[in-house]
């Protein structure tokens, strides 16, 4: 098992290559010529300023990443902190920003491809656009069928690129001439005021370091490695850009530097001078640089398309966009619709805007800068609202100056963009806001930390601020209702622990019900006459339930129900309260007494919702065993285990029992099952032997065993026995039986499958 755990770990070097590999792309292989033509030699300072702005933002992203290492990047932080309206803006900004960046990378690929291959002009598409479109189709196709580069390949790519660029820098240094760098007009032919417009153009070169935060959950020692990786990658890339751009401009004067393939051109001048008059050296050097450029731009474009699909997944999960986009391909297991929509946008951007690479670069930068500004604001909100779950291992220095400076610098740089890029970005932001008020506001139930903070202090804060928070608050339905049927004071705490953990994980509420079973000989009216005594008993029980639920910081409602029917009343209460899950004790399934109606009710109707039945009076959760064979309730067992892993931080072990000799096939099945149910970090245990015997032997090693109910009918389970019931009876360890509603016929529910 240790080998599998190591395989999932990402070390510091690998984490840094994720950031460096994403940033070293078309930014260095394409933009120097375009940027130098706009700003002159002082463009070197533009790259440095871009690095400084990126570094300030990197500090904030490092804090956010260590505070929530399971998060999925900038969209998640903003949505959780500032709320779904700003989450819509961030999601749209990230998505469209990546689409513009991908189009930019594809154009860069097309520029260097044109050096190798003579491409024709077709209609309004020049050869570079045609090459970019072909590249875009290939990259979209690769993501569609699910091909992906591993972390090892990414590391190799980065080291190859760094080796190529190091060789170029060494050769260029020997050919460097200050007179060539300064030129006839000096270092500032367009004035020092050209620095910031130059920074606005080249800032696209620094996009990508935030991607490291999206894999924070897989990092070894994220408290240490995440900040070092993010901050270190920005620092290294800034130094690389400064050296390389200075070298290029000292080898080829800025007016003559190619705007299509500057590195290849500079290599032709640098290598012959450094090596001597050797035939073919210049051509070989240019070819190597061209191959490096193709590799870098391809890697960046592919990574951007891949990242865009993840953003759509996160937005779909939060109900900000329709989950239609996240439909998984039956054969390739990829979100093919999201990839196709994003790919279509990229191809449109290449075709319509590809002849002006500056528009693509700046549009990508503007949208990302808006997201960076919102991330800095999110950090401040988390800090000032004193959010309990916000506990970063790394904190930004000089708070709150650093995040304020990051937001100001990000938005300030937008002012130096051209009107067309600002207009394009503004259009997407407005579209995101409109989308939120037309669609997402009525679907999502998530309340941001900022909204809760303002609305919870309505008496202290100005009315206008509270009214504004109310005006933009989502109106979607509340999260799922987790109903607890409490019958025994000794099991109350354990049941509330399970319900609270699930409600916390799903963003829902707990409904604690005390169902008081009245004997048939006593009318409910008569029982109601002794309501005061019943209320006192229930109030004590439900007060304890409220107290236990406070540990999970979830809303809880309590209710006392008088009934003759016992367990059947649980079914009715679940239906009338639209419960999504019912949590109850195993003893509670027997409090129907001798009445037949309860049994007939269960036989003739499907379960109203998911049911979790606990056999055990107390829970001290530390580790959980989940036996699975992929049965009908296996999805539910996985959801419960994932919820406990997320909220209570239990260690989860998955068990699959096979016949002797089938261990390899069993491990393959269990690995795929774990990955498909968000339990990649769980321990995998493959055992052979009798199912009940193995579970009985291993169960005592854990604090809880979660077992999915079989598809056999009720009478079949009780009379003939079943894995679920036999395990409950024999194990001393607490057992949680899970059952998801099915659509079995009456005959199937009575007799089951044989």
């Amino acid at each position: 098992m240790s080998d599998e755990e190591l395989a999932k770990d990402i070390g510091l070097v690998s984490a840094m290559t994720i950031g460096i590999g994403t940033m070293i792309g078309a930014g260095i292989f394409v933009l120097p010529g375009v940027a130098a033509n706009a700003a002159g030699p002082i463009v070197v300072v533009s790259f440095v300023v871009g690095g400084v702005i990126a570094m300030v933002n990197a500090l904030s992203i490092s804090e956010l990443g260590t505070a929530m290492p399971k998060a999925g990047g900038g969209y998640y932080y903003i949505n959780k902190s500032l709320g779904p309206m700003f989450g819509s803006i961030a999601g749209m900004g990230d998505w469209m920003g990546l689409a513009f960046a991908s189009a930019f990378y594809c154009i860069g690929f097309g520029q260097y491809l044109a050096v190798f291959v003579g491409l024709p002009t077709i209609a309004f598409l020049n050869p570079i656009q045609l090459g970019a479109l072909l590249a875009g189709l290939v990259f979209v196709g690769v993501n569609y069928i699910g091909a992906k580069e591993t972390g090892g390949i990414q590391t190799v790519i980065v080291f190859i690129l760094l080796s190529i660029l190091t060789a170029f820098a060494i050769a260029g240094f020997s050919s460097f001439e200050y007179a060539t760098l300064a030129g006839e007009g000096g270092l500032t032919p367009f004035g020092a005021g050209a620095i910031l417009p130059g920074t606005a153009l080249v800032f696209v070169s620094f996009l990508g370091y935030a991607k490291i935060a999206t894999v924070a959950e897989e990092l070894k020692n994220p408290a240490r490695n995440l900040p070092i990786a993010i901050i270190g990658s920005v620092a290294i890339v800034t130094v690389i850009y400064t050296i390389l751009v200075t070298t290029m401009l000292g080898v080829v004067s800025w007016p003559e530097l190619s705007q299509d393939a500057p590195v290849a051109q500079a290599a032709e001048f640098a290598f012959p001078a450094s090596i001597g008059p050797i035939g073919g050296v210049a051509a070989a050097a240019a070819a190597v640089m061209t191959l490096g450029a193709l590799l870098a731009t391809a890697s960046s474009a592919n990574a951007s398309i891949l990242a865009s699909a993840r953003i759509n997944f996160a937005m779909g999960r939060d109900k900000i966009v329709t989950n239609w986009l996240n439909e998984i391909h039956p054969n390739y297991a990829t979100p093919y619709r999201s990839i196709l929509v994003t790919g279509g946008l990229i191809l449109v951007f290449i075709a319509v805007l590809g002849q002006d690479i500056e528009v693509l670069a700046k549009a990508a930068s503007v949208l990302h800068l808006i997201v960076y500004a919102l991330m800095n604001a999110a950090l401040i909100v988390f800090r000032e609202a004193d959010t309990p779950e916000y506990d970063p291992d790394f904190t930004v220095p000089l708070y709150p100056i650093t995040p304020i400076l990051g937001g100001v610098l990000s938005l300030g740089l937008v002012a130096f963009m051209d009107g067309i890029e600002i207009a394009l970005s503004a259009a997407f932001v407005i579209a995101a806001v409109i989308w939120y008020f037309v669609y997402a506001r009525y679907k999502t139930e998530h309340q941001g930390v900022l909204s809760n903070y303002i609305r919870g202090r309505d008496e202290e804060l100005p009315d206008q601020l509270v009214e504004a928070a109310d005006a933009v608050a989502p109106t979607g339905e509340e999260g799922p209702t987790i109903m607890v049927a409490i019958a025994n004071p000794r099991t109350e705490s354990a049941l509330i622990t399970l319900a609270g953990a699930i409600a916390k994980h799903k963003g829902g509420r707990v409904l604690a019900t005390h169902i008081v079973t009245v004997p048939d000989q006593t009318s409910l009216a008569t029982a109601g006459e002794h309501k005061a005594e019943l209320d006192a008993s229930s109030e004590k029980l439900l007060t304890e339930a409220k107290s236990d639920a406070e540990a999970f910081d979830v809303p809880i409602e309590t209710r006392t129900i008088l009934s003759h029917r016992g367990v059947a009343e649980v079914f009715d209460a679940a239906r009338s309260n639209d419960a999504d899950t019912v949590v109850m004790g195993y003893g509670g399934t027997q409090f129907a007494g001798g009445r037949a109606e309860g049994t007939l009710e269960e036989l003739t109707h499907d379960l109203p919702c998911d049911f979790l039945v606990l056999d055990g009076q107390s829970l001290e959760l530390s580790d959980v065993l989940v036996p699975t064979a992929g049965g009908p309730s296996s999805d539910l067992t996985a959801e419960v285990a994932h919820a406990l892993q997320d909220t209570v931080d239990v260690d989860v072990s998955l068990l699959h029992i096979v016949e002797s000799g089938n261990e390899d096939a069993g491990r393959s099945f269990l690995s795929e099952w774990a990955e498909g149910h968000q339990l990649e970090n769980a321990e995998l245990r493959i055992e052979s032997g009798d199912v009940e015997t193995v579970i009985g032997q291993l169960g005592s090693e854990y604090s809880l065993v979660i077992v999915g109910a079989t598809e056999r009918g009720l009478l079949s389970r009780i009379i003939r026995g079943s894995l679920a019931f036999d395990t409950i009876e024999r194990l001393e360890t607490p057992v949680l039986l899970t059952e998801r509603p099915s659509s079995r016929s009456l005959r199937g529910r009575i007799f089951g499958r044989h």
Side-chain angles (χ1 to χ4, degrees):
M1 191 57 218
S2 59
D3 290 338
E4 291 178 6
E5 291 174 354
L6 289 173
K8 293 179 181 180
D9 285 340
I10 296 177
L12 177 59
V13 173
S14 296
M16 292 186 73
T17 60
I18 291 173
I20 295 172
T22 305
M23 285 186 276
I24 296 183
I28 190 61
F29 285 99
V30 176
L31 278 182
V34 177
N37 187 66
I42 200 68
V43 74
V44 175
V45 179
S46 297
F47 276 95
V48 174
V49 173
V52 170
I53 295 174
M55 182 63 74
V56 176
N57 287 321
L59 292 170
S60 294
I61 293 170
S62 295
E63 176 171 324
L64 291 166
T66 60
M68 292 171 284
K70 295 184 179 180
Y75 159 76
Y76 177 87
Y77 308 140
I78 294 166
N79 189 58
K80 184 171 181 62
S81 175
L82 305 182
M85 187 183 77
F86 290 102
S88 298
I89 295 172
M92 179 68 77
D94 260 343
W95 185 19
M96 291 300 101
L98 287 168
F100 277 116
S102 298
F104 169 70
Y105 297 141
C106 288
I107 289 292
F109 187 94
Q111 288 178 339
Y112 280 89
L113 183 64
V115 174
F116 272 147
V117 182
L119 297 173
T121 298
I122 298 179
F124 60 90
L125 301 174
N126 62 32
I128 292 174
Q129 284 177 289
L130 184 59
L133 286 172
L134 293 174
L137 286 169
V138 170
F139 300 146
V140 171
V142 166
N143 280 275
Y144 185 93
I145 64 175
K148 60 182 179 180
E149 60 186 28
T150 64
I153 293 176
Q154 177 72 2
T155 302
V156 171
I157 290 173
V158 170
F159 278 106
I160 289 174
L161 289 175
L162 292 178
S163 300
I164 291 173
L165 294 174
T166 299
F168 167 72
I170 293 172
F173 180 77
S174 63
S175 306
F176 179 87
E177 293 183 5
Y178 181 79
T180 303
L181 174 67
E184 296 181 0
L187 297 178
T188 56
F190 302 106
I195 293 175
L196 290 178
T199 302
L201 173 58
V202 304
F203 192 77
V204 70
S205 307
F206 294 93
L207 305 183
Y209 59 89
K211 184 182 176 185
I212 299 172
T214 66
V215 297
E217 189 176 357
E218 302 170 54
L219 284 180
K220 289 189 290 187
N221 192 9
R224 170 185 176 271
N225 289 341
L226 182 67
I228 294 176
I230 293 177
I231 297 168
S233 64
V234 172
I236 290 172
V237 167
T238 302
V239 172
I240 291 173
Y241 286 165
T242 303
I243 293 173
L244 292 179
V245 175
T246 302
T247 301
M248 276 186 256
L249 295 176
V251 174
V252 182
S253 62
W254 68 267
E256 298 175 3
L257 189 62
S258 171
Q259 297 189 38
D260 293 335
V263 179
Q265 180 201 28
E268 290 188 68
F269 284 85
F271 278 89
S274 62
I275 300 176
I278 303 174
V281 171
V288 171
M289 292 300 164
T290 300
L291 286 173
L294 292 173
L295 193 63
T297 52
S299 177
S300 295
N302 189 58
S304 296
I305 295 171
L306 182 66
S308 69
R310 290 174 178 168
I311 293 171
N312 288 337
F313 260 123
M315 295 175 72
R317 183 177 60 243
D318 295 331
K319 301 179 184 178
I320 289 179
V321 298
T322 171
N323 251 333
W324 179 89
L325 281 173
N326 295 332
E327 180 72 25
I328 300 298
H329 194 284
N331 297 324
Y332 302 126
T334 57
Y336 66 101
R337 289 174 177 168
S338 173
I339 292 169
L340 289 178
V341 171
T342 304
L345 289 170
I346 293 169
L347 298 179
V348 169
F349 293 159
I350 292 171
V352 176
L353 303 172
Q355 295 189 17
D356 190 349
I357 196 171
E358 290 188 39
V359 174
L360 293 175
K362 290 181 178 178
S365 294
V366 171
L367 289 166
H368 279 87
L369 285 166
I370 291 171
V371 174
Y372 291 156
L374 291 175
M375 288 173 72
N376 282 286
L379 186 152
I380 294 173
V381 168
F382 279 131
R383 287 274 202 109
E384 297 304 312
D386 196 22
T387 309
E389 63 267 31
Y390 188 78
D391 185 22
D393 293 301
F394 171 86
T395 55
V396 297
L398 302 176
Y399 175 86
I401 296 174
T402 300
I404 292 174
L405 184 62
V408 170
L409 289 175
S410 297
L411 294 180
L413 190 57
V414 172
F416 292 93
M417 303 289 181
D418 292 333
I420 183 172
E421 296 92 31
I422 295 177
L424 278 171
S425 302
F428 285 121
V429 170
I430 293 171
V433 174
I434 293 174
W435 176 262
Y436 171 73
F437 281 104
V438 171
Y439 176 86
R441 189 185 183 203
Y442 302 101
K443 299 293 184 180
T444 184
E445 63 275 356
H446 167 70
Q447 299 277 351
V449 171
L450 179 61
S451 177
N452 288 333
Y453 182 82
I454 293 173
R455 298 169 82 188
R457 291 164 176 77
D458 53 346
E459 296 181 358
E460 307 170 20
L461 299 174
D463 292 342
Q464 296 87 341
L465 185 60
V466 177
E467 290 171 1
D470 290 336
V472 301
T475 59
E477 297 180 356
E478 292 181 343
T481 296
I482 314 301
M483 179 179 140
V484 185
I486 302 174
N488 186 340
R490 290 177 294 178
T491 61
E492 171 272 320
S493 180
L495 298 179
I496 289 293
T497 295
L498 289 170
I502 296 169
K504 175 78 170 179
H505 177 71
K506 294 186 175 183
R509 69 186 185 108
V510 173
L511 173 62
T513 59
H514 182 202
I515 298 177
V516 180
T517 304
V518 178
D520 287 352
Q521 294 83 356
T522 304
S523 70
L524 294 180
T526 302
E529 294 175 1
H530 301 277
K531 191 172 184 298
E533 298 154 2
L534 293 172
D535 281 350
S537 173
S538 284
E539 184 176 355
K540 180 181 179 182
L541 183 60
L542 296 177
T543 298
E544 292 175 353
K546 274 188 173 182
S547 176
D548 290 331
E550 287 177 359
F552 295 93
D553 193 27
V554 294
I556 179 170
E557 180 181 351
T558 58
R559 190 167 301 166
T560 302
I561 302 173
L562 302 181
S563 174
H564 285 305
R565 300 183 301 153
V567 71
E569 189 60 48
V570 176
F571 282 36
D572 284 350
R575 292 189 184 95
S576 62
N577 289 283
D578 199 22
D580 297 88
T581 303
V582 168
V583 181
M584 62 190 300
Y586 180 56
T589 61
Q590 301 172 346
F591 56 11
R595 293 177 60 87
E597 289 85 353
T599 301
L600 291 176
E601 179 89 9
E602 206 279 350
L603 290 175
T604 55
H605 293 82
D606 290 330
L607 294 177
C609 60
D610 294 339
F611 265 69
L612 308 180
V613 180
L614 177 68
D615 178 44
Q617 294 187 0
S618 63
L619 280 180
E620 294 183 5
L621 292 172
S622 58
D623 46 13
V624 173
L625 179 67
V626 183
T628 181
S633 290
S634 65
D635 289 347
L636 181 55
T637 62
E639 290 174 16
V640 174
H642 183 51
L644 294 176
Q645 186 182 57
D646 182 47
T647 56
V648 192
D649 198 28
V650 299
D651 294 324
V652 176
S653 296
L654 305 180
L655 172 65
H656 184 51
I657 302 170
V658 299
E659 294 182 1
S660 181
N662 293 335
E663 286 80 3
D664 289 343
R667 182 169 294 277
S668 177
F669 159 79
L670 193 58
S671 179
E672 292 180 6
W673 190 86
E675 185 175 354
H677 292 83
Q678 297 181 289
L679 292 171
E680 299 92 338
N681 295 329
E683 179 186 10
L684 306 184
R685 300 192 66 165
I686 307 299
E687 303 287 345
S688 59
D690 176 73
V691 174
E692 295 182 39
T693 301
V694 172
I695 294 177
Q697 292 173 344
L698 298 181
S700 59
E701 301 175 11
Y702 296 86
S703 60
L704 178 67
V705 178
I706 306 177
V707 181
T710 65
E711 199 170 342
R712 294 159 64 180
L714 179 68
L715 293 185
S716 176
R717 282 181 280 155
I718 293 177
I719 296 172
R720 298 192 188 98
S722 72
L723 167 63
F725 282 81
D726 287 349
T727 301
I728 286 177
E729 294 292 344
R730 295 178 184 178
L731 269 179
E732 294 182 1
T733 299
V735 177
L736 184 67
L737 170 65
T738 71
E739 184 162 12
R740 177 149 278 173
S742 66
S743 56
R744 297 196 304 275
S745 64
L746 173 61
R747 183 181 183 280
R749 294 187 68 78
I750 297 176
F751 298 107
R753 296 193 306 180
H754 302 277

